[in-house]
Structure formats: C-alpha cells, structure tokens
Amino acid sequence: MDRDELGAWLRLATTPGIGNQTARKLLATFGLPTALFAQPEAVLSQCVSERHARALVTVPPSWPELLEKTWQWLHASDLAEGTARAIITLGDVRYPKKLLATEDPPLMLYVVGARAVVQGQPFAEGRCLAVVGSRNPTAQGADNAYQFAKALGATGLTIVSGLALGVDAAAHEGALAPIAPDRPLKEGDAPTTIAVVGTGLDRVYPSRHLDLAHRIARHGLLVSEYPLGTPPLAPNFPKRNRIISGLSQGTLVVEAALASGSLITARLATEQGREVFAIPGSIHAPQSRGCHALIKQGAKLVESAHDVLEECSWALQAATSFTAGDTAVGTDEPAATAPRESALLQAMGYDPVGLDALVNRTGMDAASLQVQLLELELDGVVARLPGALFQRVGRG
C-alpha cells in the first residue's frame, strides 16, 4: 500500500458522519477510496446525502497528522525481531473472509504480529475459536480458560480473545503455553492466538498486559479497527466483540455474568451463524449465570475440549482434551500420577463452601480444617474467597 492509497483509506475512515455502512455503499459505487475522493460533490450527492457529500469533499483537520503518524508506524524500525505491521483493508486479499461475510466488517484492520503470519494469510480461516468470559473470574474459571485454550490450541486451532483481564488473558496464556518462546513462526503457520483490542495498536490496555501483548505479537496477531492514538474508550470494547466472533468459527464462553460483554459476543456469534459453547458452573456463582442462560437458549454445554472439536468437525492434530475440573490435559480422566484426592477435597467439591459446612461434611474440628485449608491454599489447590468461603481450583 503506497502513501496515497493509505491516505485515502484513512480519510474515508475518519470523515465525520461516514460510518462503515455508508463507506461500503460508497466503495461499491466508486471503487477504491482514491477514486471516490476524485469525485465532485454533485456526483457524491447522488449516492449519499448532501451533508455526507459535503463532509467527503472537506479534508478532516486531523487527517494530515494521522496519515504521517500511521505511515511512520507502518515503516518503523523499532519492531521486535520476527514481527511486522500491516493495515489490511476491505480491498486486500488478506482480509478475513469470515469477517467480511458479517453484517458490519471494519473498513481497516491494523495488525501487528509474527512476520511470517502477517505477510502470508494472517487469519487462519476456518480454524479460529473465540474464548471469552468474565474480567473477574473464579479461580476455577480462570483455570478452565487456560486449560481449554491450551488443549484446543494444541490441536492447531487459533485462540481468539480480547486481551482483557480475567478469562481473556488466561485464554491467550493457555494458547501460548506449548510454544517455545524462541521459536519463530514459519511461512504457512497459523497464528497461535489473536488478540482483538479496543484501542489503537500504539498502546496496550490494560498496561499490565504489556509483556503478554509482546508475546502475542511474536507468535500470533494483535488486531484493531481503531486508528493509532485511540485511547481505551468504554464504547469501543463491546463494538470490537463483533470482530472476535466474526473471525471465529465458534465462541466458547467460560464464565459470564448475566450482563456482560461476553454475552454480547455470544449473541453476535449467533447472529453471524457461528457456533456458541458454554461451560456450566456452580448455581451459586454469579459468574456462571450467563453461561447457564446461554445453555438454556441452545448453546452447547461443554465439559471437554472434544465437545468443541466434534461440534465444529475440526480435525485433531493430536488427541488432546481437557475436562473442566480435571487435573490433567491430554485425557478425559485425571492423570495417573496425580495424588489421590483427600477427604477434604472430596467434601469441598467445586462450589464455594464455608468453613461451617466443611465441618459438618468432614466431621473435623475447625482448627484442623483451617490448617489443611491453608496448606492447600499455599499449594494452589484451594482459593480463599470473600465472605469466609473457600473454593477448589482444580489442580489438587
């Protein structure tokens, strides 16, 4: 893409009052943006309103600075080794076909990622699974997201999520887990994971995910529809969810409250004709109610990685699976080397439980129970929750 073509796309994307739908109508009529901006106002007004036509012939005040900034960003020399940047427009052969087929595809996708992926076919068509969920998951929910992403990624699927706190970050980490940090992707490799963000790609939000974003860039893709410099504005995050679901053949919801962005992603996936999966949880946990609502509405109840793979008819590269609550990846049964469950863990189950209830279930005294719970907590087997509750996290 040369500078003039980039400038025309940026001008179209930033012209006040011109949304994606109007822009696509203009492109269908006049071709590329360079041809569109060569038209006089009178010709443009035959396609759009006079107000829109007037806006199109007026150069946005911010456009020259944005063009220079974007051009410099594309050709910067400060990129990490093995990574590349690109802007993929609706007219680019690399634009993801699944996203193009949705109701509201973005005009432009800003991309940072592994050079071999960016310069090839970046979006692993037909091999992407979205994994989304709560920003404040339970310990079990975060572990489920990590383990399912790890198991599904090991079969060759690309895990798509949003780089947010909680389930999103756990899913990205799970997808990256089997990858050797110093092993670059080769030509023809699919991205390990794709993070669709709600800011410009010249910043990372939340900032604590800076290292995670750099690792994703080396082994996958960071994607945004927003111009450089776009801050983390609240309306942008629900909007980007249509890209997460649009890139993916299916969406797996790990944990979600009844009012959450994850349910927006699931609804969009349904509207786009994609599969929706949900992991059930405790009837007492607010983070499970969204998943239970999705299951009631027809989402597939998921207990193992195989449930996802079979529904979408994906071929397995390896017979990997993860069952929620299991202690091992690679089998639907707990690992043979895992220690036998203690009576305390059997009494706990997987729902949040209080000390008094455990006293009644085990017959142990409170002091002895607290000692055992502290040991399990230090081992990462049990999490201490607000309200004097405890929860098993699935590694014991």
Side-chain angles (χ1 to χ4, degrees), residues 34-323:
T34 47
L36 187 162
F37 287 113
Q39 307 301 320
E41 182 177 343
V43 173
L44 292 172
S45 62
Q46 296 175 16
C47 181
V48 294
S49 69
E50 291 184 4
R51 178 174 62 87
H52 285 155
R54 195 174 307 114
L56 286 164
V57 298
T58 304
V59 176
S62 61
W63 174 74
E65 181 181 352
L66 179 61
L67 172 56
E68 178 62 24
K69 182 177 184 177
T70 307
W71 185 254
Q72 293 298 329
W73 177 81
L74 273 173
H75 297 88
S77 59
D78 62 345
L79 278 170
E81 184 179 356
T83 62
R85 293 170 177 164
I87 293 178
I88 299 175
T89 68
L90 281 175
D92 194 313
V93 295
R94 294 175 295 173
Y95 196 95
K97 295 179 178 60
K98 279 192 169 295
L99 185 59
L100 187 62
T102 62
E103 184 178 349
D104 186 26
L107 294 182
M108 308 168 66
L109 294 172
Y110 296 75
V111 173
V112 177
R115 181 177 292 114
V117 173
V118 172
Q119 295 176 349
Q121 292 297 324
F123 292 100
E125 297 285 355
R127 299 285 296 177
C128 291
L129 177 77
V131 179
V132 297
S134 173
R135 283 177 168 80
N136 299 290
T138 64
Q140 182 69 63
D143 192 58
N144 282 346
Y146 178 91
Q147 299 288 5
F148 268 86
K150 181 179 178 181
L152 290 162
T155 71
L157 296 185
T158 294
I159 303 301
V160 184
S161 200
L163 199 65
L165 298 173
V167 165
D168 286 17
H172 291 306
E173 292 282 9
L176 291 167
I179 305 300
D182 58 349
R183 183 186 72 81
L185 294 182
K186 306 183 298 297
E187 183 178 352
D189 284 348
T192 302
T193 185
I194 298 175
V196 182
V197 304
T199 66
L201 283 188
D202 54 343
R203 59 183 67 199
V204 174
Y205 180 83
S207 59
R208 72 181 73 175
H209 286 168
L210 182 61
D211 174 70
L212 175 58
H214 285 166
R215 285 185 285 127
I216 292 172
R218 290 195 295 272
H219 299 288
L221 293 176
L222 296 164
V223 178
S224 177
E225 67 175 314
Y226 297 108
L228 301 179
T230 302
L233 303 174
N236 289 351
F237 292 92
K239 186 179 178 184
R240 63 86 192 266
N241 290 349
R242 79 193 195 286
I243 303 177
I244 294 175
S245 60
L247 289 173
S248 307
Q249 188 169 337
T251 293
L252 171 63
V253 183
V254 177
E255 279 188 344
L258 284 173
S260 68
S262 301
L263 294 196
I264 294 174
T265 308
R267 174 179 57 79
L268 291 166
T270 300
E271 293 173 353
Q272 293 163 349
R274 314 296 163 83
E275 301 288 347
V276 177
F277 309 93
I279 298 175
S282 168
I283 60 172
H284 304 294
Q287 296 95 327
S288 296
R289 290 174 186 161
C291 290
H292 294 168
L294 289 173
I295 292 167
K296 290 177 183 177
Q297 294 163 12
K300 181 177 177 64
L301 187 154
V302 167
E303 296 177 312
S304 72
H306 276 301
D307 292 337
V308 176
L309 296 164
E310 289 172 355
E311 187 71 17
C312 290
S313 301
W314 278 315
L316 289 167
Q317 287 185 1
T320 57
S321 180
F322 172 73
T323 299

